[in-house]
Amino acid sequence: MGLRDVLLGAYERRLAASLKQQSLPRHVGVMLDGNRRWAKENGANTAQGHQAGADNISPLLEWCEEAGVEVVTLWLLSTDNLRRPPEELEPLLRIIAGVGDELSAPDKPWRVRAVGALDLLPQETVEALKRAEERTAERDGLTVNVAVGYGGRREIADAVRSLLQEHAAAGTSIEELAEVIDVDHIAEHLYTKGQPDPDLVIRTSGEQRLSGFLLWQSVHSEFYFCDTLWPDFRKIDFLRALRAYGTRQRRYGK
C-alpha cells in the first residue's frame, strides 16, 4: 500500500466519523452516469464501460448499508436509452440482467425491486429482473430499486392510468373521481409506492440535470452533482455526498 492509499484511507475514516447520524438520508437515488465516457477515456469499448459501471454497484450498496440508508434507487436505463443502437443496447441489457443476478445472489442481504416500464423491455430482461425480485422478496436488508426502462413522465402517466383503471373497476364515474382525487391518490400508484421519497439524489459524471429521474418523488430532494464518472465513483465520493447532504437545511417549503 502506497502513501497515497494510506492518506486516502485516513481521509475516508475522518469523513465517515464527521457524519451526523441524525442528518443521514433514508432513501438515496443514484444516476449512474458516465460509463461511455469512462470507456472512451480508458481505451475500452462501450460494453466494457457499462460492465465497469455494473461492477461498482455492489460496493455502493455496501457503503449505503454502512451509513444506515434504507432504500437506494439505481437508474440503470431510461426510456430514452431504449432508442440506442442495437449493438450497444443488447450488451447493456445483458449486463443489467447480470446485475439482477448479482444483487440477488444468496450471499447478498438486499431486497431487489424492478421499477420502470417493464413492458418496453425484452422478455429475457424482464424475466431476469423478476427472478431477482422473487429471490429476494423475503429479505429484510436494504431495498434496492433497479430502475430499468424508467422515465419520470412515463411513471406519472402509468400511475394515473392505474388509478383510473382501479376506479373504473370499482364503478366510480369520472365526475366522482374528479371530486376526490389528490396527490396522495396518484402517489399510491407510483412505481415506488409505499417507500419514502428520496432524500438525496446523486448524479455522477458532471451533468447537472435530473433528466426526469424520480420526477414526482424528488420534489423535496437534495441534489448532489459529482464530476467523477460512475465507474470511478469511490467511497470517498459517496461520503462527500453524505457530508454535503448533512449541511443542507431542509425546509420542505416552510
Side-chain angles (χ1 to χ4, degrees), residues 3-165:
L3 178 60
R4 184 175 183 273
D5 293 328
V6 171
L7 293 175
L8 282 175
Y11 177 55
E12 181 183 296
R13 289 189 294 274
R14 188 166 70 250
L15 261 180
S18 71
L19 299 177
K20 297 179 180 179
Q21 194 66 36
Q22 65 270 23
S23 299
L24 295 176
R26 293 179 63 199
H27 182 172
V28 176
V30 187
M31 304 171 71
L32 290 64
D33 196 13
N35 293 341
R36 293 192 293 181
R37 272 173 283 171
W38 182 92
K40 186 174 181 180
E41 290 180 8
N42 287 272
N45 62 44
T46 301
Q48 290 170 327
H50 288 312
Q51 186 60 60
D55 293 341
N56 206 24
I57 289 174
S58 286
L60 169 71
L61 299 180
E62 292 168 1
W63 307 332
C64 288
E65 280 189 307
E66 292 173 7
V69 175
E70 299 172 19
V71 182
V72 178
T73 299
L74 306 169
W75 199 7
L76 301 188
L77 186 76
S78 72
T79 49
D80 291 337
N81 294 155
L82 293 171
R83 297 198 295 266
R84 289 183 178 177
E87 58 268 23
E88 178 183 353
L89 185 58
E90 291 172 6
L92 176 54
L93 289 169
R94 288 194 293 271
I95 290 168
I96 289 172
V99 168
D101 290 337
E102 180 184 352
L103 301 188
S104 61
D107 62 331
K108 299 293 194 298
W110 308 316
R111 183 182 180 190
V112 177
R113 293 193 59 215
V115 298
L118 302 186
D119 56 299
L120 301 180
L121 303 176
Q123 186 60 33
E124 55 268 29
T125 306
V126 176
E127 290 173 356
L129 295 173
K130 289 299 183 182
R131 281 198 306 271
E133 285 190 332
E134 292 166 2
R135 290 171 184 158
T136 63
E138 302 303 318
R139 297 181 188 175
D140 58 4
L142 181 74
T143 295
V144 183
N145 297 321
V146 179
V148 182
Y150 176 88
R153 290 178 174 177
R154 173 64 187 252
E155 179 180 22
I156 294 170
D158 284 349
V160 172
R161 184 181 302 108
S162 174
L163 175 65
L164 293 174
Q165 290 171 339

